[in-house]
Amino acid sequence: LSWTLYRLDRKEHGEGLSGDAFLYTRCAVVAAGRTAFESVMQDPANFVPYATGQIWAESLLDTPDHAYERITSESWDRNTRYSYESYSNTEGWAD
């Protein structure tokens, strides 16, 4: 999940969006499935309906934690290689 959100964290997708709005909109793309994700990665114009329609999927961020807790009965102190936070993909925001 973190890797996928990180890959969507690009200037051509997020320019003009606030940090939280951009994150939750990227979550909506991921929640829409592989086809939607690949479409947005191929053509940034396909991100526009998610951003302009304010289709958010904030709750997707909690899904891995809840799944881990349900399976192990322990809380997950997750550290990921890639940050899903908005604007953390410096390569995706480079000019």
Side-chain angles (χ1 to χ4, degrees):
L1 177 61
S2 295
W3 169 236
T4 304
L5 293 172
Y6 181 84
R7 290 179 59 202
L8 287 167
D9 182 17
R10 307 187 61 78
K11 185 176 186 176
E12 60 267 28
H13 299 141
E15 197 164 47
L17 292 174
S18 73
D20 285 345
F22 184 39
L23 173 58
Y24 305 153
T25 303
R26 287 182 288 135
C27 287
V29 172
V30 173
R34 180 182 300 263
T35 302
F37 170 78
E38 290 174 354
S39 173
V40 166
M41 291 301 291
Q42 284 229 335
D43 183 357
N46 293 330
F47 188 82
V48 173
Y50 295 93
T52 57
Q54 294 199 7
I55 303 167
W56 291 1
E58 177 182 5
S59 60
L60 182 65
L61 296 172
D62 297 326
T63 301
D65 299 16
H66 292 305
Y68 184 86
E69 279 187 37
R70 186 169 189 179
I71 293 168
T72 67
S73 298
E74 298 175 11
S75 62
W76 183 22
D77 182 24
R78 75 173 131 148
N79 292 314
T80 59
R81 178 181 289 175
Y82 299 96
S83 173
Y84 60 77
E85 294 296 340
S86 296
Y87 321 117
S88 63
N89 181 353
T90 54
E91 186 176 305
W93 285 88
D95 287 330

